[in-house]
Amino acid sequence: MTVALVLFGYAVALAVFAGPLLRRARWVDRAPRLAIALWHALSVTVLASAAMAGLALTVPTVQVSGDLAALLRACVMALREQYASPGGAAAGATGAVLALAILARTLWCLARAALRAARDRARHRQVLDIVGRPDRGHGFTILDCAESAAYCLPGRQRRTVVTTAALQALDGGQLAAVLAHERAHLAERHDLALTFSAAIATAFPAVKLFRDAAAETARLVELRADDVATDRTDRLTVAGALLAVASHGTPAVPVGAMAAGGAGAAARVRRLIPPRRPLGRAQATAGSLAVAVLLALPVLVLGGPAATASQHNLCPDASVSASAPMQ
Ligand SMILES: [Zn+2]
């Protein structure tokens, strides 16, 4: 019961306090990839902690043993002991429902979001095969359109699409910046991060942390792609490209695509004007450690007592046999 309460309290505390803290952190825009990892680690650890709390209620802690027979016997005895009382049985059933509901809802929403995105992209690729034409020199698809847009479709048959209006608005350097931005999305599989965070937010819409994680992931992948583009060219060229694409009207981007320009373009342009200030090595290491700790902590809380409960033997038979003299 204690383990379940600790895990559940940890999940609630993170869900309530961690999101606002991370959203207000000033370093986030300087290291968008690390921030994306932190948002995802937070979401995963909140889900895992809540599910493990249910598991801890359902299955009592037993002493881990190298002897499989002894371990199984301890498990059976502990389960029999817990489920012998009505209160223990109710707690166990509640925990099982909680753990299974979280697991099933998460997997269902993830699978549905992934299938929907793949289907929408496949449809859009079919349309592009009919109405688009390839630019052999740069390897993207040109789409005749009066509105300015550049976007990519991730997946195995990935595409980068630039409309004719965008081509007219961009000079050579800006076009290279836009293509570098889109290829960063494709190379780093930002679509997976977006699909995951959006699916979790859909699965549990009441949890603000998940909604914030989805919104921040959508914003941060754009910052990360801008940073990669500035490695290929200079920051002002990327800012100019964003302005050129965004100021000529941005059409609705197909589902599952990621566009240059669009919402947040003004803030991104402002961010690109001063010189880049990446995080120092100590701050980056601390951030990576935070991701690792967030992911490991629920497992340690659940597994720790089982691994260290050498004095707490829940199997009466086993303790009797252990204390009996050898013959
Ligand atoms: Zn983008």
Side-chain angles (χ1 to χ4, degrees):
M1 181 66 87
T2 307
V3 173
L5 286 176
V6 168
L7 283 167
F8 198 70
Y10 176 63
V12 171
L14 279 183
V16 172
F17 298 113
L21 279 176
L22 186 53
R23 220 176 44 236
R24 272 187 243 123
R26 288 190 188 164
W27 61 266
V28 161
D29 287 7
R30 294 166 59 194
R33 191 156 54 164
L34 178 59
I36 293 167
L38 262 175
W39 278 110
H40 280 71
L42 273 174
S43 298
V44 168
T45 205
V46 166
L47 278 176
S49 299
M52 285 181 184
L55 191 66
L57 278 177
T58 307
V59 183
T61 304
V62 295
Q63 179 186 345
V64 172
S65 164
D67 183 343
L68 186 60
L71 180 64
L72 287 174
R73 194 165 58 243
C75 283
V76 169
M77 291 301 296
L79 283 168
R80 199 178 288 169
E81 187 183 18
Q82 171 167 333
Y83 287 87
S85 69
T94 306
V97 169
L98 177 71
L100 284 174
I102 290 172
L103 189 65
R105 179 80 180 146
T106 303
L107 292 177
W108 165 254
C109 288
L110 280 174
R112 192 176 57 174
L115 287 173
R116 187 175 290 172
R119 188 193 59 205
D120 290 339
R121 283 175 201 145
R123 273 192 202 144
H124 193 75
R125 268 193 295 271
Q126 287 175 348
V127 173
L128 287 175
D129 288 342
I130 297 167
V131 301
R133 61 181 194 278
D135 178 286
R136 305 281 180 206
H138 295 93
F140 62 87
T141 300
I142 301 171
L143 187 63
D144 286 317
C145 181
E147 290 174 313
S148 182
Y151 60 89
C152 60
L153 289 173
R156 251 182 291 173
Q157 295 174 286
R158 52 180 61 179
R159 299 282 172 81
T160 302
V161 181
V162 185
T163 65
T164 45
L167 286 175
Q168 285 167 6
L170 298 165
D171 64 27
Q174 291 170 339
L175 176 61
V178 165
L179 293 176
H181 173 103
E182 298 305 333
R183 284 166 188 157
H185 282 318
L186 295 173
E188 297 188 2
R189 293 307 308 258
H190 290 166
D191 57 302
L192 298 180
L194 290 168
T195 302
F196 176 83
S197 56
I200 299 300
T202 305
F204 305 98
V207 182
K208 189 168 183 304
L209 174 75
F210 298 154
R211 300 200 306 272
D212 287 346
E216 279 294 280
T217 300
R219 188 182 73 85
L220 290 164
V221 295
E222 297 305 330
L223 303 192
R224 170 61 189 163
D226 288 345
D227 285 348
V228 174
T230 61
D231 291 340
R232 305 275 190 280
T233 175
D234 62 278
R235 295 174 72 79
L236 291 183
T237 302
V238 178
L242 276 174
L243 278 175
V245 173
S247 61
H248 285 71
T250 304
V253 175
V255 176
M258 289 165 287
R268 286 162 58 195
V269 169
R270 278 198 299 277
R271 172 178 174 267
L272 287 167
I273 291 170
R276 189 174 176 183
R277 288 192 310 130
L279 289 187
R281 185 174 289 183
Q283 287 173 298
T285 305
S288 303
L289 271 176
V291 172
V293 168
L294 277 172
L295 293 174
L297 214 55
V299 179
L300 291 177
V301 171
L302 185 69
T308 58
S310 53
Q311 287 88 29
H312 182 57
N313 197 332
L314 292 167
C315 176
D317 283 354
S319 62
V320 169
S321 61
S323 61
M326 290 182 71
Q327 295 179 351

